[in-house]
Amino acid sequence: MRGRMPVALFAMVFGALEFAGGAQEMIYLGFLQSERYPLIAGVLGVLAGGLLFAAGIALLVRSQLTSVLAQATAWISVPVFILTGVVTHRAGWPITAVGIGYPLFLALFCMKSEKSGEATARS
């Protein structure tokens, strides 16, 4: 499908940024300042970022499990960024918007790609 590489590369970049932000929150405020909520939010940010990064790699190498990984990323990232960005305002609004919107876009992109692949395979 057209646009697979840019979508995959943006997923990898956004995943790396989410991972780094979560790791910073987890290490500096969680471990060094001994605050409980930043530790939990940081771990969840690292998880969401790692999943988005892995989904980008799976899309880039055209893995068969890309759709499942993209759906899992959306199921994890959306609640994490609603909690950390909207409810508690720990994450800034740009990464909150990307953390909620891009995994949903990626899941829809993969489902559309999967359906168009099935249609061409049957023909």
Side-chain angles (χ1 to χ4, degrees):
M1 170 170 255
R2 254 187 125 168
R4 181 182 298 261
M5 185 176 292
V7 171
L9 293 176
F10 275 121
M12 292 168 58
V13 167
F14 292 149
L17 289 172
E18 290 175 9
F19 187 94
Q24 178 183 6
E25 182 93 3
M26 177 181 64
I27 292 169
Y28 182 70
L29 291 175
F31 290 142
L32 298 179
Q33 302 294 324
S34 298
E35 295 181 28
R36 185 179 305 144
Y37 182 76
L39 177 65
I40 295 168
V43 168
L44 291 174
V46 166
L47 174 66
L51 278 173
L52 186 57
F53 189 80
I57 290 174
L59 183 62
L60 189 64
V61 299
R62 299 179 183 202
S63 173
Q64 293 178 350
L65 298 175
T66 303
S67 181
V68 174
L69 190 55
Q71 288 177 12
T73 301
W75 276 103
I76 294 294
S77 291
V78 171
V80 164
F81 282 98
I82 287 175
L83 180 66
T84 59
V86 176
V87 176
T88 61
H89 303 290
R90 297 295 287 194
W93 68 266
I95 197 64
T96 300
V98 168
I100 292 171
Y102 204 78
L104 292 174
F105 167 74
L106 186 65
L108 292 173
F109 181 83
C110 290
M111 288 184 350
K112 182 180 177 188
S113 171
E114 189 176 84
K115 287 182 182 177
S116 68
E118 290 175 3
T120 56
R122 292 180 188 168
S123 300

